[in-house]
Amino acid sequence: MAHLDIRGLVARYNNATVLDGIDLSIERGEIVSLIGPSGSGKSTLLRVISGLLPPREGTVSLAGETINYADRRSLRRSRDKLAIVFQQYNLFGNMNVLRNVMVAPVTIQKRDKKTVEAEARALLDKVGLGDKLTSYPDELSGGQQQRVAIARALCLKPDILLLDEVTSALDPERVGEVLDTVKMLAADNMTLLIVSHEMGFVREVSHRVAFMADGKIQEMGPPAQIFGAPQQPRTQAFVSRILGH
Amino acid sequence: MLSFLIAEIPRLFTIYNVILLLKAALTTLSLSAVGCVIGLFFGFLLSIARLSHRPIFWPLKALALIYVEILRRVPFLITLMIFFFGAQVLGFNISALAIAFISTSVISTAFVAEIVRAGLRAVKPSQMEAAAVMNFSAWHSFWHVRLPQAWPLILPPVFGYFVLFIKDTALASQVGVLELTQAGKILNTKGFSASLVYGAVLILYFIISYPLARFGAYLERRLGASRHSRPRRAI
Amino acid sequence: MHYVLHYGQIAPYLPYLIGGMAISLALSVLSFIGGMVLGLFFAVIRNEGHPILSRLVRIYVAFFTNTPQLVQIYVIYFGLPDFGILFSPFAAVLIGMTLNAAAYLTEILRAGLGTVHAQELDAAETLGMNRLQTLRHVTLPHLFRVAMPALTNQYILMTLGTSMASIFGVEELTGRAFNINSTTFRSIEIFTTVAVLYVVVTFIATILLALVGRWAFRARVPVL
């Protein structure tokens, strides 16, 4: 049974169809990356999966259970299992780093505060921010904020982690530190769905890569296929433009 | 003439009269303060209704819009009179002070609601989205994320209205509330010169209002400087 | 609790009330114009006048914005006769409102003047404009463009403030409401009607000022 199973997904935004029949099946522990030109629907797909944009048609199933986005309890159960890291980090501006990481596990998941704090400190150490626990988001660089956001997502102990262009708001010299963090946790056998423009990174970490355009998955396969021998003309054009620049 | 006024000063500032003025000043302050606190409470309710997207709130939303837009365009004196005569006509036996409290609250709700709405709207939707995907309930999201980021934007202007209402409540003297202006009228009818009495009342208002206005300006600079509220508490 | 509203009884008084509205508007318009003249003068002193004059203006503004307009008019109307200076109720209210408006308008205009950029003034100078021309063609249009929302708001507050003229016996809208009240005793009907009149008249003022601002100064004034 697929860990994340998406069938015939259609989504509209302001009457424009942004997802036009997506089928995607991801196994537990698999790392899948979505690439494609901007406006192709990659980020929208993550928004639909996490329930920020209700789908018009199609289904999303998590570990065999189909999510009913209209039903709050069903949505809650699915959100319990997944976490998302946003392009713009979206750290809570009114909380310091440690509290950003701890707030949901403690107040929402009702886990033991002491345990959570120990985990949060360990995670923040792991992402290299052990000395920034009491800093506020606006005192940190973009790269640091993004690493906190990754720690925050991980502290939720998700089965599936969605990463939405986690490096595109960063200065070029900050990209590496965030990607290293992702690579480090990619080893931890968690299901990952990644939207990224960093082709080198995608190629290195992904088990499979999906090329999206016009709200559809145009081609999917192992990185070697997508980057080395793309079958579709559109994929070829995109990959050669990105890699050839 | 001036020497006559100066001779009157020791007679005016007897302990009895000073206590009268101080008590009246306290009423002036509490009228404004209570108005603002109640205004904040109902202002929040109105703003939450106005910012909600759920269909069941639409009638409340329309009502909130009408309330805010209309009440801000009615003179305080007229509002006072409507409640004053309204209570009489309907046979409610409530004091003039209660009527003044109700009137200031009703008016300040309209003004404060606008500030609260602007403050809550200034919090980026992406903050609430981040909370939503982490399974925050609407209440948790409001309490832990939206409100703490909105209040530094809300507090300084609301404090500004508090200072403004200190002066507006002078009109409560027209229904007989013993606040600062009414105290002046009483002393005037007792035979003290109008120039002396009202001059003293003006100065008292200034002594109350000016430091508060300065504090309000400080608050605005202080909270405006940091983009977010920072309860500086060690975890 | 068996009070029946009779708006019909006050319908005949509607022309009388509208006549009162005209007096209210006369008060608000005259004091606004007077306040603008004084305020502009004070704002310039505050920004580039002699330090002592500037300080005096600051004290003036602090005093008038931190005391109630009602008591200011009390001093003018009841207090000044102690010194042999007498005003009619209308004149006393008009003077009080003007002095009060001048203080608030000084602050609004001063903030607006602060946003006129030095480059614009330099540009005017290189075009060979003299000080008066610069004021007319550069400074004032810019000032009104940025200050229009605040000025509109101030005018609306002043229109509402005219109701306190009734306390001194001026028969403007609120004054006439009190008059009708003492003959018909239909208090709720009268005061709610008058409230509606204030709402209508301030709405019209907001829209008119927004149009004027847009037409004359290309200012964007939100109506709601």
Side-chain angles (χ1 to χ4, degrees):
Chain A
M1 181 181 58
H3 194 189
L4 179 68
D5 196 30
I6 298 166
R7 297 265 164 97
L9 203 64
V10 174
R12 292 195 180 83
Y13 194 75
N14 291 338
N15 287 327
T17 303
V18 279
L19 292 181
D20 193 9
I22 300 280
D23 293 293
L24 178 64
S25 196
I26 304 175
E27 297 304 318
R28 194 175 287 272
E30 197 179 14
I31 299 175
V32 174
S33 292
L34 300 169
I35 61 168
S38 46
S40 58
K42 311 175 302 273
S43 293
T44 307
L45 180 56
L46 299 194
R47 285 178 70 82
V48 172
I49 294 170
S50 55
L52 290 173
L53 181 70
R56 291 296 172 93
E57 286 168 38
T59 57
V60 177
S61 305
L62 240 175
E65 190 191 351
T66 302
I67 305 168
N68 178 1
Y69 287 104
D71 173 33
R72 257 197 259 182
R73 287 173 58 192
S74 169
L75 186 57
R76 272 186 83 88
R77 270 200 305 278
S78 67
R79 279 173 169 171
D80 261 341
K81 297 182 194 132
L82 62 84
I84 181 166
V85 181
F86 298 93
Q87 184 178 351
Q88 296 293 339
Y89 344 122
N90 297 353
L91 294 179
F92 299 128
N94 55 308
M95 303 176 192
N96 67 22
V97 166
L98 187 57
R99 196 154 154 66
N100 255 290
V101 177
M102 287 174 59
V103 61
V106 172
T107 54
I108 308 299
Q109 297 180 337
K110 310 268 180 225
R111 275 153 56 191
D112 176 59
K113 195 178 171 187
K114 286 248 168 60
T115 325
V116 171
E117 182 167 346
E119 285 170 14
R121 284 174 183 275
L123 272 168
L124 286 164
D125 263 340
K126 217 167 153 185
V127 300
L129 290 168
D131 56 338
K132 298 281 186 195
L133 300 181
T134 56
S135 300
Y136 281 80
D138 58 358
E139 297 163 351
L140 302 178
S141 72
Q144 290 172 326
Q145 288 191 59
Q146 195 59 288
R147 282 183 279 150
V148 176
I150 292 169
R152 179 173 74 170
L154 291 175
C155 203
L156 292 163
K157 303 204 162 168
D159 297 338
I160 299 186
L161 183 62
L162 312 175
L163 300 178
D164 184 9
E165 303 195 23
V166 289
T167 57
S168 54
L170 302 179
D171 297 333
E173 61 265 34
R174 301 285 184 194
V175 170
E177 65 188 56
V178 171
L179 294 183
D180 287 343
T181 310
V182 175
K183 267 187 266 176
M184 182 168 66
L185 72 247
D188 285 340
N189 202 32
M190 181 184 285
T191 305
L192 254 78
L193 184 54
I194 299 169
V195 170
S196 182
H197 286 131
E198 296 294 325
M199 294 306 152
F201 166 72
V202 166
R203 192 174 201 160
E204 188 179 337
V205 300
S206 313
H207 299 126
R208 277 190 299 158
V209 178
F211 170 70
M212 276 183 80
D214 299 332
K216 291 190 176 82
I217 293 180
Q218 306 284 349
E219 184 173 351
M220 180 143 84
Q225 175 197 328
I226 297 293
F227 293 109
Q231 314 283 302
Q232 305 282 335
R234 293 194 68 171
T235 319
Q236 282 167 9
F238 178 78
V239 168
S240 68
R241 198 173 64 242
I242 292 280
L243 297 182
H245 54 90
Chain B
M1 188 65 235
L2 215 56
S3 57
F4 174 71
L5 283 179
I6 291 165
E8 223 179 79
I9 289 174
R11 269 205 303 128
L12 176 61
F13 292 104
T14 58
I15 288 181
Y16 178 82
N17 287 345
V18 167
I19 288 174
L20 175 78
L21 283 170
L22 288 181
K23 270 176 138 175
L26 206 63
T27 306
T28 287
L29 262 176
S30 50
L31 272 175
S32 183
V34 168
C36 278
V37 169
I38 292 181
L40 258 178
F41 179 74
F42 286 106
F44 261 106
L45 292 188
L46 286 185
S47 310
I48 291 167
R50 277 189 79 178
L51 291 170
S52 167
H53 295 297
R54 288 202 202 149
I56 51 158
F57 279 119
W58 282 346
L60 201 60
K61 225 169 152 165
L63 209 68
L65 176 76
I66 292 166
Y67 183 92
V68 165
E69 285 306 323
I70 291 203
L71 265 290
R72 289 195 304 166
R73 292 170 182 277
V74 177
F76 184 49
L77 186 56
I78 299 291
T79 315
L80 266 172
M81 289 306 150
I82 291 172
F83 281 106
F84 182 73
F85 288 115
Q88 259 182 21
V89 163
L90 296 175
F92 290 124
N93 192 15
I94 50 174
S95 68
L97 186 65
I99 283 165
F101 273 125
I102 293 168
S103 303
T104 41
S105 305
V106 163
I107 291 279
S108 76
T109 296
F111 282 93
V112 171
E114 270 310 276
I115 295 170
V116 172
R117 188 170 72 102
L120 290 175
R121 264 176 74 153
V123 180
K124 281 189 274 169
S126 58
Q127 291 278 307
M128 274 78 80
E129 282 185 352
V133 291
M134 293 202 290
N135 259 337
F136 279 59
S137 64
W139 164 249
H140 273 123
S141 171
F142 182 79
W143 186 250
H144 289 288
V145 178
R146 198 168 199 180
L147 187 60
Q149 295 190 40
W151 82 258
L153 305 172
I154 294 172
L155 202 63
V158 168
F159 192 83
Y161 274 116
F162 164 62
V163 181
L164 209 68
F165 291 145
I166 289 173
K167 290 157 277 164
D168 285 353
T169 56
L171 285 165
S173 59
Q174 295 310 303
V175 293
V177 175
L178 182 48
E179 43 66 73
L180 213 40
T181 307
Q182 180 71 0
K185 274 162 72 180
I186 289 170
L187 291 173
N188 186 212
T189 52
K190 276 187 178 172
F192 294 105
S193 303
S195 56
L196 185 66
V197 168
Y198 292 125
V201 168
L202 268 188
I203 290 167
L204 278 173
Y205 270 110
F206 185 82
I207 291 172
I208 296 169
S209 168
Y210 184 71
L212 290 171
R214 289 301 291 266
F215 178 71
Y218 163 79
L219 210 60
E220 184 142 16
R221 276 198 309 277
R222 180 68 209 279
L223 292 180
S226 70
R227 277 190 291 117
H228 310 295
S229 82
R230 286 187 186 163
R232 283 276 181 205
R233 118 181 98 105
I235 231 169
Chain C
M1 285 301 279
H2 293 285
Y3 187 80
V4 184
L5 293 171
H6 281 291
Y7 279 96
Q9 274 194 19
I10 53 160
Y13 292 100
L14 217 53
Y16 177 66
L17 285 175
I18 289 169
M21 190 80 248
I23 300 172
S24 300
L25 285 179
L27 268 175
S28 64
V29 169
L30 288 176
S31 55
F32 188 74
I33 292 171
M36 279 297 281
V37 172
L38 276 176
L40 204 55
F41 186 59
F42 289 164
V44 172
I45 292 178
R46 259 308 251 119
N47 270 17
E48 47 196 290
H50 189 277
I52 293 175
L53 285 177
S54 173
R55 181 149 206 114
L56 284 176
V57 170
R58 257 173 80 173
I59 293 169
Y60 175 90
V61 170
F63 185 76
F64 274 89
T65 56
N66 282 296
T67 52
Q69 181 174 283
L70 177 65
V71 185
Q72 290 159 14
I73 303 173
Y74 269 147
V75 171
I76 294 167
Y77 188 67
F78 297 113
L80 290 186
D82 288 351
F83 304 94
I85 306 168
L86 277 99
F87 290 112
S88 71
F90 187 86
V93 172
L94 184 59
I95 292 168
M97 284 193 65
T98 304
L99 294 179
N100 193 277
Y104 284 99
L105 290 169
T106 299
E107 285 302 277
I108 292 170
L109 295 171
R110 192 175 73 88
L113 277 179
T115 65
V116 182
H117 297 299
Q119 296 109 298
E120 290 183 71
L121 298 178
D122 289 344
E125 208 180 310
T126 44
L127 286 174
M129 291 190 190
N130 62 29
R131 279 197 79 163
L132 207 68
Q133 284 171 323
T134 308
L135 189 72
R136 218 196 116 200
H137 295 290
V138 181
T139 312
L140 286 185
H142 178 95
L143 174 61
F144 282 111
R145 193 160 56 242
V146 297
M148 206 60 193
L151 292 176
T152 303
N153 192 38
Q154 181 62 26
Y155 177 73
I156 300 301
L157 289 179
M158 285 172 63
T159 307
L160 302 183
T162 57
S163 71
M164 67 179 67
S166 63
I167 294 165
F168 303 89
V170 178
E171 295 193 338
E172 40 63 75
L173 184 51
T174 305
R176 291 189 177 190
F178 279 112
N179 287 350
I180 302 169
N181 185 39
S182 56
T183 54
T184 66
F185 299 105
R186 287 278 155 200
S187 319
I188 296 186
E189 291 91 330
I190 294 154
F191 287 107
T192 48
T193 303
V194 167
V196 170
L197 285 175
Y198 276 108
V199 170
V200 169
V201 98
T202 52
F203 253 121
I204 292 172
T206 307
I207 291 165
L208 280 182
L209 284 169
L211 289 177
V212 167
R214 212 163 278 189
W215 171 73
F217 311 112
R218 293 184 292 118
R220 296 202 150 270
V221 184
V223 173
L224 272 189

